[in-house]
Each structure stands twice: as C-alpha cells, then as structure tokens.
C-alpha cells in the first residue's frame, strides 16, 4: 500500500512538474519530464489548462480535495486584500501544514496522518482534524505519550530538516520539545509553496 502511494506521488509530481515528496524529487532529477508515452514531447497547453494545472499544483502541495480548496477560496475572496494571497495564507494555517513546516513530519501526507491519529494537541487539547485552522498565539505540541515513539524521537533530532525548507518566521519552534507557536498570520511571500496565485484567481474567476 505504501509503495502504491509512493508511486502515485511520483507520477503526480512529474505530471505537475513539482516534487511533492523527497522521493519524487530524487526521481525527477533523473526523469525531469511528464509521465507517459509522450512525456518527453513538446505540447502547447491552452490558457485553461495552464490555469487548471496551477490550481492543481497548489492543491497537491497541501494534499487536499477540490471541495476543500474551493471552500477556502470562497473565504479568501471575501477577505480584505488580494484573494490569491489570502488563499495561500489560509491554507498555510491548516494544522497539518504547520506540523510539516515545524519539522514534525517529512511530507504533508505524513503530517496529515500524525494529526489524524490524535498525536497532536492545540493549547493542551487533542485535535485530530488536519484541516483545523490554527490561529496566532496558539501552541501546538505532540502529546506527551506520543513523544517517545520512534517517529517523533527522529523528528525531535531534526532528521527531517534535510528535506524541508527553513522554518518560516511565522512559527516559533522548539523542536526538542516537539512544540511550536503560530506567532502571526503567514504572508504569501514567506510560504514555501510553488504557485502562481494570479493564475489560480483567474481559474476560479472564470
């Protein structure tokens, strides 16, 4: 099962042109083209397909369904400021995304699993919803009973830092204690995802 998920992630990464996992990144260095019989060929994408692909790239980086993405988009466009930037900032405040940024997991899928299996507390209470939105000032921590498990002992030693971006400034992380605080709302320019937000705005506004 894990092997199938891994192969799917590699194939999706090649199709979208962005590495979604460390394994996919290594694979794409050897085969930097799309999967399939005509992957090496040159194709001209329509304006619609370019915008669709950009939306899919952002959605894949957070590992969410289209219905979830659209709900966040509707909220983002109602807020003050630029809708595209709001979209990324709201997605980044998901609990699973922040668990990943803090270095408690190696991939977004692993971060979602960590949360879903009730290993994470927010302000001292267990939260098992990966989509839970963390608000500035809240403290997130791996629950004490889980901290002794091998996966978290490895994380506390900083073993995932080799494949993750630097910890963003909107997080205050104490990795040894497997704890972090969301200091403030993320700004789009700080969020380590690859996405042309204007293309995504145009896709949803069509």
């Amino acid at each position: 099962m894990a092997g199938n998920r891994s192969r799917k992630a590699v194939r999706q990464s090649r199709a979208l042109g962005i590495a979604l996992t460390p394994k996919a990144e290594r694979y794409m260095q050897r085969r930097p083209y799309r999967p399939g019989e005509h992957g090496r060929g040159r194709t001209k994408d329509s304006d619609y397909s370019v915008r669709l692909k950009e939306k899919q790239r952002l959605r894949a980086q957070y590992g969410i369904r289209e219905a979830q993405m659209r709900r966040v988009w509707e909220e983002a466009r109602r807020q003050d400021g630029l809708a595209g930037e709001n979209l990324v900032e709201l997605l980044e405040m998901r609990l699973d995304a922040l668990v990943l940024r803090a270095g408690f997991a190696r991939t977004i899928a692993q971060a979602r699993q960590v949360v879903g299996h009730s290993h994470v507390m927010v302000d001292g209470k267990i939260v098992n919803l990966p989509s839970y939105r963390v608000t500035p000032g809240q403290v997130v921590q791996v629950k004490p009973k889980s901290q002794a498990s091998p996966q978290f002992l490895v994380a506390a030693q900083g073993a995932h830092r080799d494949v993750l971006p630097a910890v963003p400034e909107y997080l205050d992380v104490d990795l040894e204690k497997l704890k972090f605080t969301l200091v403030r709302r993320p700004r789009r320019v700080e969020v380590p995802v690859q996405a042309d937000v204007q293309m995504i705005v145009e896709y949803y506004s069509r």
Side-chain angles (χ1 to χ4, degrees):
M1 184 68 72
N4 289 338
R5 286 198 300 268
S6 179
R7 285 192 292 273
K8 182 179 179 181
V10 169
R11 186 174 181 84
Q12 185 182 23
S13 296
R14 292 176 62 198
L16 296 175
I18 180 173
L20 299 173
T21 65
K23 181 177 180 179
E25 184 169 6
R26 293 193 299 271
Y27 196 95
M28 290 175 67
Q29 289 174 355
R30 300 196 304 270
R31 299 186 179 184
Y33 47 84
R34 294 176 301 175
E37 181 181 354
H38 305 291
R40 295 174 189 255
R42 302 179 69 179
T43 60
K44 181 174 176 57
D45 294 326
S46 67
D47 289 345
Y48 171 79
S49 65
V50 169
R51 288 162 176 74
L52 172 63
K53 184 175 181 179
E54 204 62 39
K55 185 266 297 183
Q56 291 173 328
R57 281 160 56 100
L58 180 62
R59 187 163 66 86
Q61 288 173 84
Y62 286 101
I64 60 175
R65 300 185 302 275
E66 175 60 26
Q68 293 174 297
M69 180 90 153
R70 189 170 286 277
R71 280 197 297 270
V72 180
W73 161 253
E74 291 298 330
E75 181 180 357
R77 71 185 184 88
R78 291 194 299 267
Q79 293 187 350
D80 293 336
L82 300 175
E85 294 187 0
N86 289 340
L87 173 64
V88 174
E89 292 166 8
L90 291 173
L91 289 173
E92 185 65 10
M93 294 165 73
R94 286 173 55 99
L95 180 57
D96 56 354
L98 295 177
V99 164
L100 176 65
R101 303 289 179 243
F104 297 178
R106 198 170 182 86
T107 65
I108 191 64
Q110 189 181 75
R112 187 164 57 250
Q113 186 179 62
V114 163
V115 176
H117 288 181
S118 300
H119 292 302
V120 175
M121 302 187 304
V122 179
D123 287 344
K125 296 181 180 179
I126 292 175
V127 176
N128 60 6
L129 294 175
S131 62
Y132 176 88
R133 183 172 300 157
V134 182
T135 58
Q138 287 191 308
V139 177
V140 178
Q141 185 172 20
V142 174
K143 70 179 183 182
K145 286 185 179 180
S146 299
Q147 290 188 17
S149 68
Q151 66 173 327
F152 293 118
L153 289 174
V154 167
Q157 294 169 1
H160 302 326
R161 294 262 58 99
D162 62 324
V163 297
L164 297 175
V167 176
E169 292 187 3
Y170 45 85
L171 289 182
D172 180 14
V173 179
D174 186 337
L175 197 55
E176 289 186 0
K177 294 182 179 179
L178 293 169
K179 179 171 66 174
F180 70 82
T181 302
L182 179 62
V183 178
R184 55 173 171 76
R185 175 169 168 147
R187 293 192 290 268
R188 167 63 190 107
V189 294
E190 304 172 294
V191 178
V193 295
Q194 298 180 41
D196 185 331
V197 294
Q198 182 56 38
M199 290 285 188
I200 298 169
V201 168
E202 292 174 8
Y203 172 84
Y204 280 122
S205 301
R206 70 191 193 285

